[in-house]
Amino acid sequence: MNTAFFSYLANLALALLLAPLLFGVINRVKAKVAGRHGKPLLQTYYDLAKLFRKSEVISPTTGLFFQLAPALQLVAILAALCLLPLGGNASPLAFAGDFLLAAYLLGLGRFAMIVAALETGSSFEGMGASREAAFSALAEPIFFLAISVLTSLHLDLGETHDWAFSLSLLFGGQSAGAWLSGKFELLLLPIVFFLLLLVENSRIPVDDPTTHLELTMIHEVMILDHSGPNLALILYASALKLWFFASLVAGLLVPDLGAMGFLLWIAVIFLVACAIGLVESSMARLRLKRVTTFLGGACAMAALVLIFSQMR
Amino acid sequence: MPFFLAALGIFALSALACLVPSLLRPSKQSAHLANVLGLLGTLAGSVCGLLALFWPGQPPLASFQAQLGLPFGTFSLALDGTSRIFLVPVFGLGLLCAIQGFLSLRHERPSQHNLGVHWLFYLLLLLGLTLVLSARDIVLFLISWEIMSLAPFFLIDFNDSDSRVRDASWVYLVAAHLGAVALLAFFVLFWQCTGSLSWQTPVTNLTETQRTLLFVLALAGFGAKAGLAPMHIWLPEAHPAAPSHVSALLSGAMINAGLYGIIRTVSLLSPKGIPPEWWGWLILLLGLGTALMGILKALAQSNVKRLLAYSSVENMGIMTMGLGCAMIGQSLGNGWMALAGLAACLMHMLNHATFKGLLFLAAGEVLHATGTVNMAQLGGLAKKMPVLAACFATGCAAIACLPPFNGFTGELTLALSLLDGSSLASTERQMALLLSFAALCAISGLALTLYAKAYGMVFLGSARSGFAENVHQKSWHGIWPLMVLALGCLALGLLARFVFLGTGMAAAELFPMQTLTGFSQARTSLDQSLTTVAAISGCVLLATALLVALRKHTLHRRGIRFMPTWACGYQRGTSRIEYTDASFTEPLARVLSPLMGQKVSISQEPGLFPRYSQLLVKAPDRLRRYVYGPLFAAIESVCNALKIFQHGKIHLYILYILATVVGLLIWGLV
Amino acid sequence: MFLNICLYLLVLSNFLLLGTARVVQMTKYTALQGFLLAILLFHFGHTVLTVAVLLIKGLVLPGLLWRTLKKMPSEALICPHRLVAIDVIAGMAGLAFAIWLDGRLGSDLTHNLFPELFLPLGLTTLFCGLILIIGRVKAITQVIGYLAAENGIFLLGMPLMTQGTTWFELALLLDVFVAVFVMGIAINRISDSFASMDVDHFRSLRD
């Protein structure tokens, strides 16, 4: 038990350390595909260090919550990450229904950022906030539909309630065992989670993280008025969020391999980052009207898996 | 029990006492007297009531009986777990709303409102609610139901100089009485079929048809009070019209009486405590439909109080889903679903009372301070009223099911109850329950958007109109009941395991579920889950505080510069270009507007540079407009047609009498 | 296992077919279905038929469609998005219904005659084809829907085939081939003489 706990802690530390590297990998992949050399891999770390050393410029329209929100979001995402099984080790906090807590903690962070954006009174940030709210509200049922497939699968496999309702089992390697043993429909789930990753982390077909100040933006435009340490907290939080969703994909793909499984796990997470880079360099951003179609596609896939795995 | 009887007595006596100032000539003194009398009556009665509920060492079922003095029926009261749980919001919220009402009614002009009458009916509402929730005799139940239904009519009609308010109170009265008709039919049939007037012994000697008929009648009657779709239309009319402390009480405590009625009926009518499966499905579907409809309509509203009213409909739907899920579990022998579902229903009821009471009271304060609750005209109030803003934000976070607060705990319990549907026997059931689970999550996702909008548009940004600029400020001791409720939201969230254990005990009293598989497991693991949730939430709060302190410390030396909001280079932004409530929900409305019933109309001058243009976004209740409106219009035209007999000519009236007498004679002789 | 993967891919291709608004993409998915059917046939050991199906369903028919597409105006190649969503939901319902029917028909019928998943997935393919025919207004999508429906029937017939019926199947294939050929020509002619390719406009031809 003790060794498991320490290996979980080690994995958590690894996640906290390596998360900003994901952005570096994505950018490097995009640069290579475009034939450029690209930013340094560690650019996000430099950005974070620089931002932490700065002071802040704040709009007088905003209130206290504007200054609180980035910290709240970071802590909420961190707590959600602590509920995930990392590197194949069950989380020490695991309990029945922790997936719900994790999802709503992410929701808490989102609520904080939306409210902070509305506090500035700018129509740009209102626009970003309203889009963020709308798309994440539409993404919510897809996430839970996919989760419900996994829970029912594990209840059918004879797991206890406590365990089957916990992220630590659902994404801890046993699900990969299930598709390896012939339930191929489950292979659609990593795709669903990948699409959710693109939505929730504001990546390209939904949102473009590289262009500022466009009317089409979602996430970037929400944080226009943040600066200095607060912006650093936001940047780090979004890195952790990316790690969270990439671990969901990894948790479904990597089977339970014992102690050394975490290497494969981290490799998959970085592969996901590469995949994001490839998607971003091969696709254009969708028109906002089409984002709902995109979400509808993800929802259809999740429903397809549900039908297949439930009805057989 | 003595405390409980004392509470009833105090309510009744102080209601009578309030008659005195209401009959006096309207003056400052009489208004003040009424205010003080009403507050003291509520205070004493509610404290007695709360003592009666929580006094240690009581038997689990305390009861009292006396003669009613009527040809039938006895004055029979009892307190079991369910009654106690439903009474908590009545006393607790009743008390806080009375204090807030007292604080805001102090400034009313005595010539405009008769406060004595107001407090009389407030106390009568509390009395009626208390009796409804504890009555164990059909006749007593009906009498108190009628008191409870009638009193709000006068409370809603507080600002009776406004024709819209009068209209709303009539809508309420009609809805309440249509429900009461179904209930009257239900109780008469109940009495006919069982031969007993008792409202606490489970019924055994019923045929299948009678049982079904009784169930449907009860669902119609109680459902109208609870606001289940399609009988919800009185809520969005009555809540915006009523004074805020009244709407808080109506929404947090009175509509629960409908839910209580449904739960009690189901538990009494179920053969051997096992309801037929289709009852559960019907209730689950009804709840799901109500919740979806409520949240979608709420999203389209721009009046905060109307938004809150629709959101009450949604929350009532969620509670009903819990009940339905529990009934399905009970009838199929699944203890996990039964316990978690019913506990979730009761937990959400308590939670809803806290945060909805808080939100309605806060909306009332906004109305008081600015003169409007139209979101398009508000904004920037957080700067001027920070305490109120913090309270409202807490309520919003709680109702959007965000973790440190109480809304999340009920949601978690209900979600786990629905998720266990995948261990039921057939595929159709599994699919139905899993899809309801996804729908529940969609509802709470939309709730987050909804409340981000409500809080953001009212309190954040800069003022959108003169209403929000010239604010009538109030210090924190004018709104301390709100702070109590906000703390309650947090406390109920952190102490959720005790709430769960309490509601679970009440649930097990209602239906025999202890022996079912999964019952004890559900109790232990949900208990553990809620404990862990509270621990993690506490850690999140602490860690955030720490991080904020750290940031403050690092910025201390460097200092913070204040510059206007960055408008992407545009220098002359005014608050008129701020996002409004309708634009905030526009991306969702693009997808969901057929379901939301939103109507957008644009009028613009032709030409390339139109000087005048207008965009109107409206979301009328389609059910009221296309179903109830035409229905009542038809009834009215039939009634009007009958007016040819009522022409005012006395000699012809005598002819009617003569004709009737002769006709009766002939009928009697032939 | 191999069979299962093919069948899953087939269902996916159905939903891709329903879920795309672009006719060009749809032709590609039709070709994909042809290839998948050929692989399945190979798995069952019908070598002659494999080659024939590969040629006709995998190459010639999509090729014909492709040729027709090239001559059509570009606005004829996009379907309204609203319809796409409805089609996908209808396809879901079709899949759920097919699997439910499979469970209800009883194991003796389904398991003796068909390998696992064959009956529901064949039915699903058939449904998806019909949905395409009903739900899309472009003339060319009618042909694609017809092909998908035929694929479904083909899938249902596959396990029932013996050596003698191979010729029958070949004849059927030829039939489809001719039908698509004729429709392709007809569409070409229609697109020459009418401005639009919506089926709704064919109403003017009814007298």
Side-chain angles (χ1 to χ4, degrees), chain B residues 131-133 135-146 183 187 199 222 257 260-261:
Chain B
L131 279 174
V132 160
L133 296 175
R136 289 296 182 274
D137 179 89
I138 289 178
V139 179
L140 179 65
F141 186 91
L142 261 180
I143 292 173
S144 39
W145 184 269
E146 207 49 36
L183 278 190
F187 280 117
W199 186 232
F222 291 121
Y260 169 82

Side-chain angles (χ1 to χ4, degrees), chain B residues 66-78:
Chain B
Q67 281 309 311
L68 197 56
L70 284 179
F72 29 67
T74 50
F75 189 79
S76 154
L77 301 176

Side-chain angles (χ1 to χ4, degrees), chain A residues 195-206:
Chain A
L195 297 183
L196 283 177
L197 177 149
L198 297 178
V199 177
E200 294 274 346
N201 291 284
S202 324
R203 305 309 302 191
I204 255 186
V206 180

Side-chain angles (χ1 to χ4, degrees), chain A residues 236-252:
Chain A
Y236 189 54
S238 53
L240 285 185
K241 197 172 177 185
L242 189 58
W243 190 277
F244 179 91
F245 277 91
S247 325
L248 290 184
V249 178
L252 289 179

Side-chain angles (χ1 to χ4, degrees), chain A residues 54 56 59 96 104 161-162 310, chain B residues 420 430 444 525 529 558 565:
Chain A
K54 291 202 163 200
E56 283 190 14
S59 157
Y104 282 93
H161 281 75
D162 271 350
Q310 274 304 300
Chain B
D420 196 42
Q430 296 176 358
S444 52
S525 53
S529 294
R558 297 176 208 155
T565 301

